[in-house]
Amino acid sequence: MKLTIKNIGIIVLITLLVTSVVSNFIQDKKNKDRADQVTLLSGENNILKESMKNAQISAKKKDTTINILIDSITYITKNYNLIRKNYSGLMDQYNSLSEGLLKVSSDSSYRFLQDVYPYPGDLAFMFNEPQVKAIHLDYLKKLKLTELNGNLKSQVDTLNYLLGLNRKAFALKSSQYDDLKLQLTECNKLTSNQSTQIGLQQDQIKNGAKVYLGASYVKTDVGRLF
């Protein structure tokens, strides 16, 4: 068959037509893939935003609790300082017992001991004045040591309570830090996704595809845009 100019033209036209159809098919496939990817990214972004919102709410709640704990720690610390101050006063009293007892007569000490150690029978053992004063002093020291021990127990209990409050505050601070770190990580991921979306949508616009903008699709015309 002899090729004529007309036949050659027909072949070229058919080739161009087929090429155009194939090219359009490939481009449509690419646009669909881009649109699907944009949709997937939009869904992921919504999840990221919700997660960031929840992490922010969680961090604020923990902040409120931490402030309450800090107020409690401040208040309990003041009480602890008062207990310690009281201990110092009790210790001063304990150390001054001997000196204070010098102003008390031996007879007074003897009568005091009879009151604190009442005994209805005969007093078979005799004590001299220094012994009576020493027994009196031992009794007073015992009472004061009981107060001192009670004060020390209060100090230990208060310190243990403060330790518990500080541990709770530290745990909440650590958890709050994790919330903030999560927000930062997901914010970076969200920014990356949005940048990818913009790039995909720009490619769609260049190829005359429908682009999702907010609540509607926009059909672009490459010939008018470029």
Side-chain angles (χ1 to χ4, degrees):
M1 178 179 178
K2 187 176 180 181
L3 292 177
T4 63
I5 295 176
K6 180 179 179 181
N7 291 335
I8 293 173
I10 293 172
I11 293 172
V12 171
L13 185 62
I14 292 173
T15 301
L16 290 174
L17 181 61
V18 171
T19 302
S20 177
V21 170
V22 172
S23 177
N24 287 336
F25 174 79
I26 294 172
Q27 192 60 55
D28 288 342
K29 180 66 171 57
K30 288 182 179 179
N31 286 336
K32 183 179 181 305
D33 290 342
R34 293 189 187 103
D36 290 342
Q37 192 173 352
V38 168
T39 301
L40 288 173
L41 288 171
S42 294
E44 184 179 349
N45 288 347
N46 289 334
I47 294 173
L48 288 170
K49 289 175 183 177
E50 187 64 24
S51 179
M52 289 170 61
K53 179 182 176 182
N54 291 335
Q56 186 177 28
I57 292 172
S58 176
K60 286 183 178 180
K61 286 182 178 179
K62 288 168 186 173
D63 197 50
T64 300
T65 306
I66 288 170
N67 288 333
I68 293 172
L69 285 171
I70 290 174
D71 289 341
S72 297
I73 290 170
T74 301
Y75 177 76
I76 300 298
T77 300
K78 288 180 180 179
N79 285 342
Y80 172 72
N81 290 332
L82 289 175
I83 294 172
R84 286 192 62 187
K85 184 178 180 181
N86 188 37
Y87 179 83
S88 297
L90 290 172
M91 201 67 205
D92 290 340
Q93 293 173 21
Y94 177 82
N95 292 329
S96 63
L97 283 175
S98 297
E99 183 180 348
L101 201 57
L102 292 175
K103 302 175 184 178
V104 179
S105 67
S106 298
D107 289 338
S108 296
S109 291
Y110 186 74
R111 286 192 296 270
F112 174 82
L113 292 174
Q114 286 182 315
D115 289 336
V116 297
Y117 296 116
Y119 182 69
D122 294 333
L123 303 177
F125 298 99
M126 300 298 294
F127 297 96
N128 57 33
E129 290 185 6
Q131 288 175 319
V132 170
K133 298 294 286 287
I135 296 171
H136 188 180
L137 179 61
D138 287 342
Y139 181 84
L140 295 178
K141 283 184 175 180
K142 169 183 169 293
L143 294 179
K144 196 56 63 179
L145 285 172
T146 300
E147 289 185 70
L148 285 166
N149 287 336
N151 183 284
L152 286 173
K153 184 180 183 305
S154 295
Q155 288 189 53
V156 172
D157 291 342
T158 304
L159 285 174
N160 284 333
Y161 187 62
L162 280 171
L163 179 61
L165 291 177
N166 277 285
R167 282 175 174 170
K168 287 180 181 178
F170 178 78
L172 284 171
K173 273 292 184 184
S174 297
S175 180
Q176 189 182 49
Y177 172 76
D178 291 338
D179 289 335
L180 296 174
K181 189 166 65 172
L182 176 63
Q183 289 183 64
L184 178 61
T185 300
E186 296 191 337
C187 181
N188 290 335
K189 177 63 176 173
L190 181 63
T191 302
S192 175
N193 284 354
Q194 289 174 335
S195 297
T196 302
Q197 280 182 299
I198 291 172
L200 291 168
Q201 289 171 336
Q202 287 176 339
D203 288 341
Q204 287 176 291
I205 291 173
K206 289 178 182 178
N207 293 283
K210 289 183 177 180
V211 180
Y212 183 71
L213 297 173
S216 62
Y217 283 94
V218 178
K219 181 69 172 68
T220 61
D221 188 330
V222 179
R224 289 200 299 271
L225 289 174
F226 303 96

